[in-house]
Amino acid sequence: MTPLETLLARRGDAPTLEDFGGEDRFFAQADELATSRLWFRAAEALLAAWDCLNSPDRAAAFIAEALTAENRPGVVGDLLDRLCDHPGYLRDHFTALNRIALRRTEPHATALEAETAGLFLEAALRLALAGGAIKRYGVLDVLTDPQAPSAPIGYARQVVRALGAGYEQWRDADLTNALHAFLDIPALRSDAAFELAMCHLSDAFNAADRSSLLTQLTASRTHFTEAIDSDEDRPDATAYRAAINAVLAFEANDNEALSTEAAQLRRSTSEHALWLTGLRTGWRDGRYDTEAAWYTLSADLEHAAAHLNSPLPTWPSQTIQHVFAAYIAHRSVRLTPTGDASALQLLVAPRIEDAFAAREGLLLHVHALLADAPPDWDRQAAEELRSAVESRLGLPPEEPEDGPGKDGAADDLAAELGRAVLAALPPDTLNGLHEQLTDTYSSHIKTLPKAEQDLFNEVIRGLQPCPDFQSFSVREHFIRLVTATIRFLANRTNRGRDKHTKKTAYLFAPKPGEKLPLEIELQEDLHDYLDSACFEVQMETIDRSGGRADILVIFPGFSIVIECKRELRKAEPADLKRYLGQTVAYQAAGVTLGMLAVLDLTPKPQWLPNLRDNMWTEHIPAPDSRQLDRWAVVMRVPGNRTTPHDMS
């Protein structure tokens, strides 16, 4: 073996770029590396060092040339996984990878070609689902190819699964029409039936009325049964069928059937999770998260059903929480992260509302708890249920605690006089009064240093168009969080090397032989800072809009996710916009406000940016005009620093 082959064949982690003698030496040996059967190890070294490369285009060309000729499914699958999840590579080579993937779906005559083509089809679909510069039409043409059902099984099965994933995102009837053609192939009937069932389940989530919802659920259940009949080893189909039956049993007040189906759901979900162990399923995590959400919902439905007919006028707080979780199940149990339809509530909500409307004690219990809600309560769910029940009972809307009528006729008269006076004021004056009223709790801002005051005012100005920020409770708590992060940024910007502790060593240029820090060091430091400032914070919280939140800050009635990143090459505001999509994605089930904290590790031979240049507000327009826009506060923490004495 040549020295290069020996290096590539080394056990353990892939060799680093330094192991090849640096970037220039690597490219000097590129032709030899490209012809090696272990070339993918060299590609892994390039991807690991991507943000530090001087010639990323040469690296992309090396990967593209070798990937175009590679036919081993194991190598192709692993590398495509890395490329489709690599933000640095995708930033400039998204389109090139898509062209390669679509081209490589064409030859699939043999079993080996079919398996490889299926992996490239999966990559093309993932790129199209990610949006950005790639349109879906190229992959749609491949998916709806009438010759696909006659292709070898290895490729045809990937087409079937891709058709289901595409429909969940795009809801294009051509995709379901194409799926029906695979039902006539015995080896693919189970997969095709399962994907059709998932398509109908997606339609059910978007149903406009109860009749349409039941029609789609019935069609979905029929196809799940067909999948099970065609292949008895289908824990996924069994789990989803049980989930549908459990919801229908809950609506029908059939607690015995609900318990049976919930138990089946939990068994099948656990079995499917074990079956998936070790498989390449990362890009389909959204679907598997939905299974987990059904698992949780079954527990909520069982617990709620056991108490809804109970004669007790009040329930323990834990029971109320289960009831609320079941009442708003449409938020957590859905097939796509952007879906916001509440069709599931059409089946679940009536039984819960009936119980509360029938017994005044339950409604009074909710009122009492809302007056002093525990921090972990879903206050929005409680308000929705209270409002629905009061509307059903014909009760007038609840007045605010300090609103008209609180102290009788005198207050009513004062309120009417006040409204008359306010109506005569110019809009600018009214806006000023509103600002004074809502911002009295932030008067301590005036005691901060001028630069911090200026930064605070600029950030708040950028948040004014956000509807959620106009809510008094949200505004109050989010302003407190903004103030704390400004203080954190000022403190860490001023921190000197000779005074730093081990916890803040990530702010400074590493010593010879040391590596640049990871974002986890900023994440832990910011988490501990907020925790010491009496915020309720959690790290790596799962099930946040289908993902994992870096830092979760919990307030009464809502929470804020702070996404943490590090940047090695380009950290200007325009460059950091690429992280905003992930940042605001965590806001799917809450208020439209979020935060992004970026550890800026770019070289700093000159002075550090001013504090006021390192924090700003971003407005992220919704991709669909029918959806809500989102806002994010971005904080750029200067790292990789030297002392002012060493700066040019």
Side-chain angles (χ1 to χ4, degrees):
M1 295 177 67
T2 66
L4 273 181
E5 286 288 334
T6 302
L7 178 59
L8 292 172
R10 188 178 68 184
R11 291 186 178 182
D13 295 336
T16 66
L17 206 56
E18 289 72 22
D19 292 331
F20 289 98
E23 184 175 348
D24 292 340
R25 181 62 181 158
F26 180 97
F27 288 123
Q29 306 170 91
D31 291 341
E32 183 181 352
L33 289 168
T35 59
S36 170
R37 286 183 59 80
L38 298 174
W39 68 269
F40 56 91
R41 301 274 282 178
E44 292 171 7
L46 289 174
L47 292 173
W50 194 272
D51 289 333
C52 300
L53 292 177
N54 295 318
S55 303
D57 288 343
R58 293 182 67 184
F62 172 86
I63 293 172
E65 182 178 353
L67 188 61
T68 300
E70 181 59 67
N71 289 310
R72 290 170 292 171
V75 173
V76 168
D78 288 344
L79 186 60
L80 287 176
D81 253 355
R82 289 176 179 270
L83 295 176
C84 288
D85 288 332
H86 197 292
Y89 172 84
L90 293 178
R91 185 165 55 241
D92 298 316
H93 304 285
F94 203 90
T95 304
L97 180 60
N98 183 62
R99 283 198 299 268
I100 294 172
L102 289 176
R103 188 164 59 247
R104 291 296 307 272
T105 63
E106 295 173 2
H108 47 252
T110 67
L112 181 62
E113 286 180 342
E115 188 175 355
T116 303
L119 293 170
F120 278 106
L121 173 61
E122 177 185 298
L125 177 65
R126 291 171 66 176
L127 295 174
L129 292 177
I134 301 301
K135 303 301 182 183
R136 66 177 183 264
Y137 305 110
V139 74
L140 280 177
D141 287 342
V142 176
L143 292 176
T144 56
D145 180 2
Q147 302 303 316
S150 59
I153 294 298
Y155 178 73
R157 179 171 283 112
Q158 285 284 24
V159 174
V160 169
R161 294 171 179 174
L163 284 167
Y167 186 83
E168 288 172 14
Q169 186 72 28
W170 300 318
R171 296 171 56 76
D172 190 317
D174 288 342
L175 298 174
T176 51
N177 292 337
L179 267 173
H180 279 279
F182 292 89
L183 290 174
D184 297 328
I185 303 171
L188 296 174
R189 183 176 298 123
S190 180
D191 281 334
F194 179 83
E195 295 301 336
L196 279 169
M198 295 299 287
C199 293
H200 283 291
L201 194 56
S202 177
D203 289 338
F205 276 100
N206 291 278
D209 51 61
R210 185 176 180 276
S211 176
S212 300
L213 171 63
L214 290 174
T215 298
Q216 295 298 337
L217 286 180
T218 300
S220 180
R221 184 168 56 178
T222 298
H223 282 300
F224 281 133
T225 300
E226 185 178 5
I228 296 166
D229 291 342
S230 301
D231 180 1
E232 61 182 14
D233 190 17
R234 291 303 304 233
D236 48 356
T238 305
Y240 275 109
R241 185 176 67 176
I244 294 172
N245 289 335
V247 171
L248 295 174
F250 179 85
E251 184 204 32
N253 202 7
D254 188 345
N255 290 1
E256 183 177 351
L258 170 59
S259 296
T260 300
E261 298 295 343
Q264 178 63 67
L265 168 59
R266 290 193 281 275
R267 283 196 303 273
S268 298
T269 302
S270 300
E271 182 182 346
H272 192 216
L274 291 173
W275 182 78
L276 291 171
T277 301
L279 298 181
R280 293 189 317 105
T281 60
W283 77 281
R284 298 303 300 274
D285 280 349
R287 178 175 281 188
Y288 307 130
D289 286 346
T290 301
E291 279 189 37
W294 279 112
Y295 184 110
T296 303
L297 175 60
S298 69
D300 292 327
L301 290 176
E302 271 195 295
H303 197 114
H307 290 79
L308 284 174
N309 298 329
S310 169
L312 292 175
T314 62
W315 294 326
S317 179
Q318 181 185 17
T319 298
I320 289 282
Q321 283 290 64
H322 281 288
V323 172
F324 288 163
Y327 186 69
I328 55 164
H330 62 277
R331 294 187 196 162
S332 57
V333 182
R334 53 191 177 202
L335 297 181
T336 57
T338 56
D340 198 30
S342 57
L344 191 61
Q345 199 168 19
L346 296 173
L347 294 180
V348 175
R351 184 178 173 189
I352 296 174
E353 291 172 5
D354 286 346
F356 277 76
R359 286 176 295 170
E360 185 180 2
L362 290 179
L363 187 58
L364 293 176
H365 188 40
V366 173
H367 274 276
L369 288 170
L370 280 173
D372 188 22
D376 61 340
W377 257 49
D378 189 335
R379 190 180 185 93
Q380 183 179 352
E383 292 286 5
E384 286 182 18
L385 178 57
R386 178 194 58 76
S387 177
V389 174
E390 289 182 348
S391 176
R392 177 179 293 203
L393 294 174
L395 300 176
E398 186 182 55
E399 296 284 1
E401 290 185 5
D402 55 352
K406 184 180 180 184
D407 291 321
D411 284 320
D412 290 340
L413 178 60
E416 289 299 324
L417 291 173
R419 276 193 287 271
V421 172
L422 291 175
L425 295 176
D428 289 344
T429 303
L430 281 173
N431 290 338
L433 290 172
H434 180 262
E435 290 295 324
Q436 292 178 36
L437 175 65
T438 57
D439 289 342
T440 52
Y441 46 80
S442 60
S443 59
H444 65 281
I445 297 297
K446 298 178 181 178
T447 66
L448 296 178
K450 181 181 185 303
E452 295 176 38
Q453 287 188 42
D454 292 345
L455 178 55
F456 173 87
N457 292 332
E458 187 64 25
V459 169
I460 298 305
R461 188 157 37 246
L463 293 169
Q464 294 298 352
C466 175
D468 282 334
F469 188 68
Q470 300 308 314
S471 165
F472 187 92
S473 60
V474 173
R475 182 184 181 92
E476 175 184 7
H477 292 296
F478 196 74
I479 279 181
R480 179 171 158 245
L481 179 59
V482 168
T483 307
T485 51
I486 289 175
R487 295 297 300 145
F488 172 86
L489 179 61
N491 180 280
R492 298 311 187 256
T493 300
N494 285 327
R495 187 65 60 94
R497 178 186 282 276
D498 61 336
K499 299 294 185 184
H500 77 74
T501 64
K502 185 177 180 180
K503 178 179 284 293
T504 56
Y506 71 90
L507 296 170
F508 306 99
K511 296 178 182 178
E514 294 182 345
K515 295 182 178 180
L516 288 168
L518 302 174
E519 62 260 29
I520 186 64
E521 299 186 53
L522 169 63
Q523 181 183 348
E524 290 178 347
D525 189 23
L526 180 56
H527 170 274
D528 292 349
Y529 183 92
L530 294 174
D531 185 56
S532 66
C534 298
F535 288 87
E536 184 177 354
V537 287
Q538 298 174 2
M539 279 182 58
E540 300 294 338
T541 304
I542 62 172
D543 293 334
R544 301 302 301 181
S545 299
R548 184 188 301 270
D550 286 348
I551 299 176
L552 183 68
V553 189
I554 302 172
F555 299 112
F558 72 101
S559 58
I560 297 294
V561 171
I562 304 178
E563 176 68 10
C564 297
K565 295 290 185 184
R566 72 165 184 167
E567 183 53 50
L568 303 174
R569 297 183 64 227
K570 298 178 180 180
E572 293 304 312
D575 302 314
L576 300 183
K577 286 181 182 291
R578 64 182 178 276
Y579 297 129
L580 293 176
Q582 180 179 356
T583 300
V584 300
Y586 289 110
Q587 300 162 220
V591 296
T592 55
L593 291 162
M595 275 195 168
L596 170 64
V598 179
L599 177 57
D600 175 12
L601 297 176
T602 59
K604 297 177 178 61
Q606 299 177 337
W607 61 26
L608 297 179
N610 187 272
L611 176 78
R612 288 165 286 195
D613 297 323
N614 274 334
M615 195 169 181
W616 61 90
T617 300
E618 292 278 7
H619 169 214
I620 303 92
D624 187 328
S625 61
R626 295 168 296 180
Q627 299 178 10
L628 297 175
D629 290 357
R630 301 180 188 184
W631 282 258
V633 175
V634 181
M635 176 177 65
R636 181 176 58 186
V637 180
N640 197 14
R641 291 154 37 186
T642 58
T643 64
H645 178 271
D646 295 326
M647 294 178 182
S648 59

